[in-house]
Amino acid sequence: MSAAELLANTLSPDASTRQDATAKLESASRENYPQYMLMLSSVLAGEDGPLHVRNAAGLALKNALSARDSARQQEYSNRWLSLPNETKGKIKQDALLTLGSVSQKAGNFASTVVAAIAAVELPQGHWPELIELLLGFVNNQTNTNLKISTLQTIGFICETIKPEILSLRSNEILTAVIHGARKEETSAEVQLAAIHALYNSLEFVRENFEREGERNYIMQVVCEATQNASVAVQVGAFECLVRIMGLYYDKMALYMEQALFGLTVVGMKHSDERVALQAVEFWSTVCEEEVDLALEAQEAQDYGETPETESRHFAKIALPEIVPVLLHLLTKQEEDAEDDEWNVSMAAGTCLSLLAGAVQDGIVPAVIPFIEAHIKAEDWHNREAAVMTFGSILEGPDPAVLTPLVDQALPLLIDMMTDPNAHVKDTTAWTLGRICDLLIACIKPDVHLHPLVSALVGGLGDSPRVVANCCWALMNLADQLGLYYEDEVERPGSGPLSPYYEGVVQALLRVTESASNEANFRTSAYEAITSYLSHATGDSIFVVQNTLLTILDRMERLLAMQNQIIGVDDRNNWNELQSNFCSVVIAVIRKLEKGIQPLSDRVMTLVLQLIQAAGKTSTVLEDAFLVVGSLASGMHRYLFAFKSLINIPPPPALEANFAPYIQAFLPFLYSALKAHEDTQLCTVAVGIIGDISRALGEQSAPYAEPFMTVLLENLQSEVLNRNVKISVLSCFGDIALAIGPLFEPFLETTMAVLKQAGAVEPNPLDYDLVDYVGQLREGILEAYTGIVTGLKKTPKGTFPNSTLWTPHLIGRCLADEERTDSLVRLCYGLLGDLADSFPGGQLKQILLHPWIASELRSKNRMPPETKKTMRWAREMVKTATQ
């Protein structure tokens, strides 16, 4: 079988043919990589070959050169660089020749290949002639296809390569791109390719944007392109403006005043939706930038500093111009629009929400006349637009400004849940959900609760989209009322929702009986059930208990159907339902605490069966593991992995009573811990070691050695995500805290690992690394805290000398300008723990260092919890140094 036939078969509609061809290509790649790459480049360059086969060849070449995973990318790069120069030269030549193919699409395929090779070679100083070649191609006046493909190539290269690698050629590259985008260019296709190349190059040309003259010319060309006769070029130009605003907001004042205000407002009115969408997106970007700048300004004010970039308040200035256009666009809904179809009406609603955040109170008088004029209109488009407008402005303005409006609107909105139009009901349910979420104080239990709950429960029998939003509104109602009244009373015996609990939960359970999950309504119902169970007051505990029995029955039935699953859709449905069941079970365990004991055997049996049935389906395994963690000790730090529950550290459910389940569960736990390629599952598994250790306390000592062994193996893994390793370090502290003096056999190794990790210093220019090192230090400090606290009962003579290194690390952490409040709190807490562990003066000389006294008397602004920790640490240090 020829290479072309094999590539064609990878696109076959027949699954077995497709899989066989793919397997043969992968085998060829492994067995003879040079020949494989030459074969692909030959097919790509073959002008007689079918276009779809040449596309497949180009895609295979690109995929053999680039990968999202950094480790795999390094492997691919090394593999390519190790090829003989003759082989690499032939492949490059084929790709460059194809840029000028008579088929423009073939040139497009080649552009991705050239860019992929460039991304590997240019950072190594290889292929120095490439940019010169490409610039020559762009200036070719006879081959339009070559110019188009080359401009695409340049854009892709600029997008993927760090600017400093090509800094000496950046001016020439920009000149070539801008030259193709000018209005004088006669080919609309060349202009479009140039505009797209410019879009991809906008970060690359940051230095050029700093120079006013060059910036002016770039902006002139882009603004002129928004008026191009080609709609595609107009769309590309507005896309550039969107990205420019996001990257260079601080440079935009002059251009906003002279051109961009007018261009974008006219663009929003464009008859072609593609242009209008990008013009609306421009103002959404402006609002996002100004919301962020307002937050930065507030933070700077809190610390007595000047913000790095000040808001120009473009949105506030443009408010009278853009609001009427957005409100008009809101009435352009499509009767049969798909859920995932983005149109101007949806874009306008999103922009209006962002505008409310940017201009805050100013949005209210700008939209109220429209709402009042249209909320009772005969045309459903106007009614729905009015409700959407009201829902969109509920976050941003002062609640005191919104409250009287919500008070007035609530009865009408509740009545509109029976509107004859499905779109109006859908948006009304969403708006009620927003009120429940953002302005819960407006909902007066004795006035609004009964009609509101009745309307939302009534909506559960409507279309899937309406059901999903009703579930979301009911969930917000439970969450926010629960928090609102829990703040006032410790563990209330009753609440405003108590009379409705049983009816609401039963109605939601009926929704979850559906075999369909269109518009995600069934999942939304399970999330709402979880919220109601999480916030149940004493008089509603029976609802919690009964719901658990229902869910466990469903789990058993679904597990029994495991062997009846046929096809991917059935499997996905099974996985999703099991995850939903787990979410409810976790909520019940958290609520019942020790009251789960009578049903713990049944829960654990079902979870172990689920883990076995799930195989390697990581999402289901994660959820099942989290049920185990909640039984053991309430999940503690790993609550983030479960989105439906509120972030309150729960109490242990079974604690030492969890011991009988350990042996049955450990094989599954160890298997998950060794799944290094599955970051999330491995993270949850590490967390469960901490849960088990905390739950069993000293009884976990027999498991400490295998736990420590597998955790240390994880640290040595080259595959495991580095963030999981932070969790591993923190877990050392959990084990040490649990078993106390029995941790001594692991002490020397652990302290060496922590010291090595603590020596990592970030590159201040690498923001990702700065963030990672901050999290790493938090994990190290958590480990030290657990070790120091756990070893308090150890004779002081056996306390390791390596402990003396911890104040040094604390000092470095506190001296870091990028330190977070949580890191500072951990530093203070560990200083206090060290002093508390050595009250007899053993660390006196270290604790008397001037920097420690200075830090523990800091006058810097800090959260109350951090200040409280600092004061406690100061007292401990004072006692230990007397």
Side-chain angles (χ1 to χ4, degrees), residues 655-656 659 662 689-705 707 733-743 746 789-794:
E655 296 176 334
I662 291 277
I689 288 184
D691 294 335
I692 291 171
S693 299
R694 286 190 299 273
L696 300 184
E698 290 186 358
Q699 292 182 41
S700 65
Y703 310 107
E705 185 172 352
F707 283 171
D734 293 329
I735 296 171
L737 185 61
I739 65 176
L742 297 173
F743 189 76
F746 317 109
T789 307
L791 296 181
K792 278 183 183 178
K793 299 176 185 177
T794 304

Side-chain angles (χ1 to χ4, degrees), residues 482-605:
L483 292 172
Y484 190 74
Y485 287 93
E486 282 170 14
D487 286 345
E488 297 181 1
V489 184
E490 186 68 24
R491 290 191 173 273
S494 184
L497 277 175
S498 292
Y500 309 100
Y501 246 77
E502 186 172 16
V504 170
V505 172
Q506 286 299 319
L508 290 167
L509 284 170
R510 284 193 293 275
V511 171
T512 61
E513 291 171 356
S514 171
S516 165
N517 192 28
E518 185 182 346
N520 223 31
F521 77 88
R522 187 178 62 196
T523 299
S524 298
Y526 274 114
E527 290 175 348
I529 289 169
T530 298
S531 288
Y532 275 80
L533 302 185
S534 298
H535 294 290
T537 48
D539 56 359
S540 301
I541 287 296
F542 75 97
V543 178
V544 178
Q545 295 164 332
N546 292 338
T547 304
L548 176 62
L549 293 174
T550 300
I551 296 300
L552 293 179
D553 287 343
R554 291 184 181 184
M555 283 186 80
E556 286 176 345
R557 288 198 297 271
L558 198 61
L559 282 166
M561 296 170 60
Q562 162 75 4
N563 296 327
Q564 301 172 28
I565 294 175
I566 301 173
V568 175
D569 289 343
D570 280 357
R571 169 57 65 183
N572 290 340
N573 190 52
W574 189 90
N575 291 341
E576 184 200 326
L577 281 170
Q578 292 290 13
S579 291
N580 289 332
F581 296 159
C582 288
S583 72
V584 177
V585 172
I586 291 170
V588 173
I589 292 170
R590 286 176 43 113
K591 176 54 62 175
L592 296 182
E593 299 174 10
K594 293 184 185 297
I596 194 65
Q597 180 76 45
L599 287 169
S600 59
D601 283 358
R602 186 180 177 194
V603 170
M604 198 65 192
T605 300

Side-chain angles (χ1 to χ4, degrees), residues 327-342:
L327 295 176
H328 175 69
L329 292 177
L330 279 174
T331 66
K332 298 296 182 182
Q333 314 94 320
E334 297 173 17
E335 181 83 54
D336 53 353
E338 298 291 334
D339 287 347
D340 58 351
E341 182 182 334
W342 189 245

Side-chain angles (χ1 to χ4, degrees), residues 342-665:
W342 189 245
N343 55 45
V344 287
S345 175
M346 294 175 180
T350 299
C351 187
L352 197 60
S353 292
L354 293 167
L355 192 59
V359 305
Q360 300 183 335
D361 293 355
I363 194 70
V364 176
V367 300
I368 288 300
F370 176 85
I371 296 170
E372 291 176 339
H374 294 92
I375 201 159
K376 295 182 180 179
E378 288 189 17
D379 187 337
W380 75 264
H381 293 85
N382 292 335
R383 287 200 309 280
E384 195 271 345
V387 177
M388 174 62 77
T389 301
F390 190 72
S392 297
I393 66 164
L394 294 176
E395 187 171 17
D398 189 326
V401 173
L402 293 171
T403 295
L405 300 174
V406 173
D407 286 344
Q408 182 182 350
L410 255 176
L412 178 58
L413 290 170
I414 291 170
D415 286 344
M416 290 181 76
M417 281 301 298
T418 58
D419 194 279
N421 183 272
H423 293 278
V424 176
K425 283 188 287 188
D426 182 28
T427 303
T428 301
W430 172 77
T431 300
L432 289 171
R434 295 262 291 174
I435 293 170
C436 292
D437 186 30
L438 302 168
L439 295 159
I440 193 65
C442 292
I443 297 174
K444 298 174 177 59
D446 54 338
V447 177
H448 301 125
L449 212 47
H450 184 270
L452 176 61
V453 171
S454 299
L456 293 175
V457 169
L460 295 178
D462 214 299
S463 65
R465 284 175 54 176
V466 174
V467 173
N469 271 320
C470 286
C471 290
W472 180 67
L474 286 166
M475 180 183 74
N476 290 340
L477 186 63
D479 283 344
Q480 298 305 323
L481 276 180
L483 292 172
Y484 190 74
Y485 287 93
E486 282 170 14
D487 286 345
E488 297 181 1
V489 184
E490 186 68 24
R491 290 191 173 273
S494 184
L497 277 175
S498 292
Y500 309 100
Y501 246 77
E502 186 172 16
V504 170
V505 172
Q506 286 299 319
L508 290 167
L509 284 170
R510 284 193 293 275
V511 171
T512 61
E513 291 171 356
S514 171
S516 165
N517 192 28
E518 185 182 346
N520 223 31
F521 77 88
R522 187 178 62 196
T523 299
S524 298
Y526 274 114
E527 290 175 348
I529 289 169
T530 298
S531 288
Y532 275 80
L533 302 185
S534 298
H535 294 290
T537 48
D539 56 359
S540 301
I541 287 296
F542 75 97
V543 178
V544 178
Q545 295 164 332
N546 292 338
T547 304
L548 176 62
L549 293 174
T550 300
I551 296 300
L552 293 179
D553 287 343
R554 291 184 181 184
M555 283 186 80
E556 286 176 345
R557 288 198 297 271
L558 198 61
L559 282 166
M561 296 170 60
Q562 162 75 4
N563 296 327
Q564 301 172 28
I565 294 175
I566 301 173
V568 175
D569 289 343
D570 280 357
R571 169 57 65 183
N572 290 340
N573 190 52
W574 189 90
N575 291 341
E576 184 200 326
L577 281 170
Q578 292 290 13
S579 291
N580 289 332
F581 296 159
C582 288
S583 72
V584 177
V585 172
I586 291 170
V588 173
I589 292 170
R590 286 176 43 113
K591 176 54 62 175
L592 296 182
E593 299 174 10
K594 293 184 185 297
I596 194 65
Q597 180 76 45
L599 287 169
S600 59
D601 283 358
R602 186 180 177 194
V603 170
M604 198 65 192
T605 300
L606 286 171
V607 169
L608 292 174
Q609 290 176 11
L610 176 57
I611 291 171
Q612 287 179 301
K616 294 185 177 180
T617 308
S618 64
T619 51
V620 178
L621 286 174
E622 289 164 28
D623 291 325
F625 275 39
L626 289 170
V627 175
V628 177
S630 64
L631 276 172
S633 67
M635 292 191 296
H636 199 53
R637 291 189 307 276
Y638 301 92
L639 195 57
F640 73 90
F642 191 61
K643 64 180 180 297
S644 302
L645 306 182
I646 57 172
N647 193 16
I648 301 172
L654 297 180
E655 296 176 334
N657 292 319
F658 185 76
Y661 308 123
I662 291 277
Q663 290 303 327
F665 176 64

Side-chain angles (χ1 to χ4, degrees), residues 36-100:
Y36 170 74
M37 297 294 279
L38 285 168
M39 173 197 77
L40 293 176
S41 71
S42 177
V43 174
L44 174 67
E47 290 291 348
D48 296 334
L51 197 57
H52 67 282
V53 175
R54 297 175 76 185
N55 180 21
L59 186 62
L61 276 168
K62 175 185 171 293
N63 290 342
L65 288 160
S66 57
R68 291 181 181 179
D69 179 73
S70 57
R72 182 162 293 182
Q73 178 60 63
Q74 188 61 51
E75 176 193 335
Y76 286 1
S77 298
N78 292 339
R79 187 173 62 171
W80 168 262
L81 293 171
S82 66
L83 284 174
N85 287 335
E86 184 181 346
T87 302
K88 287 187 289 188
K90 176 65 169 63
I91 296 167
K92 292 176 190 175
Q93 182 183 11
D94 284 344
L96 290 171
L97 283 172
T98 310
L99 289 176

